[in-house]
Amino acid sequence: MAVKEYNCYINGEWIKKSSGDKIEVENPANGEVFASLYISSIEETQYALESAEKAQFSWQMLPAQERAKYLYAIADKLREEKEHFAKLLVMEQGKTLVEARYEVDDTIRYMTYSAEAARRIQSAIFPSDLPNEQLSIHKVPYGVTVGLMAFNYPLALIGRKIGPALVTGNTMVIKPSELTPVTASEFCRIIDEVGLPKGVISMVVGYGHDVGAYLVESPITKLISMTGSTRAGQAIFKGASQNIAGLVLELGGKAPFIVLDDAEIDKAVEAAAVSRYANCGQVCICNEMVFVDHKIADEFTEKLLKRVQKIRVGDPMTDVDMGPSLSPKGLEHIAHVVKENIAQGAELLLGGKRPEGKMFEKGNWYEPTILTNVKPDQASIQSEMFGPVLPIVKIKGYEEAKELLNKRDDSLSAYLYTQNHKLIMRSIQEFQIGTIFINKPIVGYIQGYHSGHKKAGTGGEDGVYGIEQYLQKRTIYMNYE
């Protein structure tokens, strides 16, 4: 297969290089290299930041509705090329074609929701303590922002960040994951085609320790929005402290799926399966572990086994339910944790290996896996899997589940299945977590708010509160006597 070369996009220009280090992009289904990009130099990264800084004030001074027109235009182009981007996502990230189409749709929603918010950016006026005065609080953009993307949603995360950033008057330099930079380059083609002013969006490519660190530590950068691991978030926190840059960090999570003894078991089983194996388990709010009441644990596990056995694994371009994991490194981590947990006494009920067959000999494949007889202090509970492995822990009621949940620091999301409305209301008050799915499988509405507590992040994205993250407040005391 011919390897296609993609390029970075800085100040409205495609950056091409004849020498230097390259990132090679592999198709996770077969391990074949199908694309490459040159890693951005520090000089090019600085150029991207300076271009964003130069473009920012003019962009800010446009009426918000004028900025919104560009977002609508980007959304229209994505609709026209939906199938192209979906197939690109399958090749680059490994998600199924159905999931990839949903991702394109989500990206369109991110753009249009942000555009619709252009007429809803609100400031405030408060009474003064003295006559002939006015106290007002205005919301203004930060200026130059940086968007750092994770690999699991290469397109949607771009839309999630640049939509609110741009409509509020910021410019942004984006750096996709080094594992999935192709979709970002193609997205910049659309930006170029709709005529977005030069410098408003630029894209650089590299690793977190070089290009990423330079973006974070630059005095030009006024806010950083990052989706990624807790370890990366901690490094960004330190780097951003030099200039006290604003932060929107969505970091690692380990969502427990809690099933109490009065739950509707069939609905809980379906939700547990869907919420674990979506995108091969590579979703930050995925069901990472089941805490099921011991009274119904056997029935729940038996039904879950039958449901998971129906998951069709195969070529993600075809009508299947699950594709491969993204990277060999991620696959090694999954296999290591499963092996370690079995050594600790867990029982392998299903999966635990590469699928059999010729098409699975290459690529990053792993069967849908279930572990039982798992204890809360064991490997698959302590480590974020980010893969198609579901450990099951028996608990004795709500109180134990709450205790296990609240003592964790990776507090991004949790699931609760029960018909006890008193416990439902208590969970809202007592679960120390960013998002709770109550009697509901995994979902993410654009008007919601996606945020973590504790070490799962700071700030948040989506909805009116997500747009607020890209605005800072300016207080005006005005005497007009």
Side-chain angles (χ1 to χ4, degrees), residues 387-453:
V389 177
L390 186 54
I392 300 176
V393 177
K394 292 181 182 181
I395 58 166
K396 293 181 179 179
Y398 172 85
E399 293 296 336
E400 184 179 2
K402 182 185 71 174
E403 182 183 354
L404 290 171
L405 183 155
N406 284 345
K407 71 180 184 180
R408 302 188 68 93
D409 289 325
D410 42 9
S411 307
L412 190 62
S413 57
Y415 300 77
L416 175 63
Y417 268 75
T418 179
Q419 298 181 71
N420 187 323
H421 285 78
K422 291 182 179 179
L423 292 181
I424 287 172
M425 296 308 296
R426 282 183 59 191
S427 73
I428 295 170
Q429 298 295 323
E430 296 175 352
F431 283 10
Q432 299 167 11
I433 206 84
T435 300
I436 309 173
F437 300 94
I438 300 175
N439 295 324
K440 188 169 182 62
I442 189 170
V443 72
Y445 296 148
I446 185 65
Q447 68 272 27
Y449 187 57
H450 186 62
S451 65
H453 292 182

Side-chain angles (χ1 to χ4, degrees), residues 70-99:
Y70 288 101
L71 300 184
Y72 282 124
I74 293 169
D76 288 342
K77 292 289 290 183
L78 285 172
R79 282 192 196 93
E80 293 173 10
E81 299 190 35
K82 176 178 176 177
E83 200 66 8
H84 166 72
F85 274 92
K87 290 181 178 178
L88 194 65
L89 287 167
V90 175
M91 290 180 64
E92 182 173 41
Q93 201 273 325
K95 53 172 49 77
T96 67
L97 187 56
V98 170
E99 290 172 322

Side-chain angles (χ1 to χ4, degrees), residues 121-137:
I121 299 171
Q122 300 178 14
S123 295
I125 299 175
F126 294 100
S128 173
D129 290 359
L130 298 173
N132 302 315
E133 287 187 355
Q134 178 177 287
L135 168 61
S136 58
I137 299 175

